[in-house]
Amino acid sequence: METEVVVIEEKKIDEKARDNLKRAGKIIRDGGLVAFPTETVYGLGGDALNPMSSKKIYAAKGRPSDNPLIVHVANMDDLAAIVQEVPDAARKLADAFWPGPLTMIMNKNKKVPYETTGGLDTVAIRMPNNEIALELIRQSGGYIAAPSANTSGRPSPTVARYCVEDLSGKIEMIIDGGQVGIGLESTIVDLTSQVPMILRPGYITAKMLEDVLGEISIDKTIIDSSSTERPKAPGMKYRHYAPKGDLMIVQGSQSQVVDYINGKTKDAEASGKRVGVIATDETKSLYQAHIVKSVGNREDESTIAHELFKVLREFDDENVDVMFSESFDDSGIGQAIMNRLLKAAGHHIIVL
Ligand code: AMP
Ligand code: MG
């Protein structure tokens, strides 16, 4: 299949863009797939209420079929139409954070096929904060199932180029809307448990949810990497975001980390390996490796969230064999950054 790539600027949705979004909506209504930008990462969209579309999404990504999809909606009435009831907590969180990078899990009704929920009786729902995404959802009939638009296991795409790399020839259309704003996937909160529980950390932090709901809990497999329990979000058990080379995270004081990485770099380069270092603006100049990339500024960790997946992909483009990364604070958005980084590294972390 030939994949059409159309460019749309979120800030400039003119008549031509509208026509393209109409065509994209028709592709989805007819059972096809379209990759599109959201504020978190690019999504691979299909009709969430059509079991065949969900099957196609799993096939295009090579995603295990027990890993449920997030359903994207553009208004609250459409949400109410696919769940058994809209819990109070969902209304409060929607008021506070929608459209935005928060996914809520509720009990589904019959309209949502099990193919979309990986066999579960619950459904994950989000309203994205991106005009291209919202218009596409409206044009598609109201419900788009959309996991990240990458081959399963690879870093999520934050620019359209990486959707093209992973999905070209497998889907009908890719909408190129430039680099996404946030760069990490949504926070997932389960509202079917007694106390709402965070299943995946993201840009909306535990503290922000607590301020709205009072008490919340966190799936402990997120924070304790040695936990042998099964994560409550089925997808969290899989290796994810993995670059092609070996990635190791190094934790310690700044000088310890720099010395350690420089030492290891020397050894690896002496044995003919290409080494990459994931540094920060503060430390970039201190490393001696062949390829050193700053992932952002520690003073503003949202810059790190924004660049992380892109930097991992760039190391793939440069055929790096071994990567060393600095470690980040496990609080606020740092929790989401460390969660993705640990998965990318297969939990390979050296504590100095
Ligand atoms: P992705 O769409 O690639 O960002 O992945 C979606 C994530 O949401 C995966 O980790 C899923 O396991 C999780 N998820 C989706 N639906 C549910 C659900 N009903 N219950 C628990 N986790 C879910
Ligand atoms: Mg994903």
Side-chain angles (χ1 to χ4, degrees):
M1 161 183 332
E2 184 142 352
T3 303
E4 180 186 357
V5 178
V6 302
V7 177
I8 299 180
E9 266 181 68
E10 192 191 357
K11 299 268 176 309
K12 215 177 79 189
I13 301 192
D14 52 16
E15 209 168 317
K16 182 166 162 242
R18 245 168 244 294
D19 277 352
N20 278 330
L21 285 165
K22 245 186 214 151
R23 280 197 307 119
K26 177 152 177 9
I27 291 172
I28 291 179
R29 275 186 279 119
D30 290 346
L33 304 184
V34 176
F36 62 98
T38 77
E39 82 281 34
T40 56
V41 299
Y42 274 78
L44 171 57
D47 180 353
L49 305 189
N50 178 349
M52 288 313 294
S53 298
S54 293
K55 283 190 175 163
K56 281 190 195 167
I57 291 176
Y58 287 107
K61 276 180 67 83
R63 177 168 168 127
S65 62
D66 69 343
N67 185 358
L69 309 175
I70 294 174
V71 178
H72 293 67
V73 296
N75 65 64
M76 285 302 279
D77 289 344
D78 286 348
L79 157 70
I82 59 164
V83 296
Q84 289 187 13
E85 60 161 350
V86 181
D88 260 357
R91 291 193 195 282
K92 286 187 191 151
L93 291 176
D95 275 348
F97 302 115
W98 275 9
L102 178 69
T103 296
M104 302 189 227
I105 293 177
M106 295 170 228
N107 289 311
K108 78 173 193 75
N109 69 20
K110 277 202 216 117
K111 286 196 180 144
V112 187
Y114 283 115
E115 282 79 359
T116 299
T117 66
L120 299 175
D121 288 314
T122 55
V123 58
I125 306 175
R126 174 169 113 79
M127 191 188 293
N129 185 18
N130 176 294
E131 277 312 315
I132 298 170
L134 289 169
E135 184 57 21
L136 180 62
I137 295 165
R138 289 188 282 259
Q139 293 292 343
S140 304
Y143 302 96
I144 296 186
S148 48
N150 51 285
T151 299
S152 198
R154 296 204 68 201
S156 303
T158 52
V159 290
R161 167 160 54 100
Y162 294 129
C163 302
V164 174
E165 191 175 302
D166 285 12
L167 297 171
S168 206
K170 298 181 180 164
I171 64 177
E172 280 79 359
M173 186 188 276
I174 294 171
I175 300 176
D176 180 347
Q179 185 164 1
V180 301
I182 291 179
L184 294 182
E185 304 87 346
S186 58
T187 305
I188 301 180
V189 61
D190 184 356
L191 300 180
T192 66
S193 49
Q194 193 89 94
V195 177
M197 183 187 275
I198 296 180
L199 306 189
R200 176 172 75 184
Y203 188 81
I204 306 287
T205 62
K207 166 85 174 56
M208 289 158 81
L209 295 174
E210 237 161 38
D211 286 348
V212 175
L213 292 184
E215 195 186 3
I216 56 140
S217 61
I218 301 181
D219 182 356
K220 66 169 176 296
T221 64
I222 292 171
I223 25 193
D224 177 6
S225 62
S226 62
S227 173
T228 51
E229 262 179 54
R230 236 165 185 254
K232 295 198 169 46
M236 298 291 279
K237 69 176 179 281
Y238 294 107
R239 176 135 194 240
H240 250 112
Y241 319 124
K244 290 176 185 156
D246 286 331
L247 169 63
M248 186 196 290
I249 304 168
V250 186
Q251 194 172 68
S253 70
Q254 181 180 305
S255 61
Q256 279 175 325
V257 169
V258 169
D259 289 350
Y260 181 88
I261 292 179
N262 280 337
K264 287 281 171 190
T265 297
K266 217 170 169 189
D267 297 346
E269 288 185 343
S271 65
K273 296 212 162 103
R274 275 170 79 78
V275 179
V277 175
I278 301 181
T280 48
D281 291 353
E282 289 85 348
T283 57
K284 186 168 186 256
S285 62
L286 305 175
Y287 292 104
Q288 290 147 13
H290 187 59
I291 308 173
V292 181
K293 290 180 191 290
S294 171
V295 73
N297 194 307
R298 283 183 184 275
E299 295 280 298
D300 177 4
E301 286 192 324
S302 67
T303 59
I304 296 168
H306 188 245
E307 291 298 301
L308 179 64
F309 286 142
K310 190 153 126 304
V311 164
L312 290 174
R313 287 269 187 169
E314 284 169 4
F315 280 122
D316 283 352
D317 297 342
E318 299 190 45
N319 294 313
V320 165
D321 302 301
V322 186
M323 276 155 288
F324 298 100
S325 174
E326 296 179 4
S327 174
F328 298 92
D329 265 353
D330 206 4
S331 64
I333 189 165
Q335 187 168 66
I337 294 168
M338 273 312 275
N339 170 265
R340 306 307 192 277
L341 203 52
L342 279 163
K343 277 179 177 288
H347 289 275
H348 193 179
I349 181 164
I350 300 283
V351 182
L352 300 174

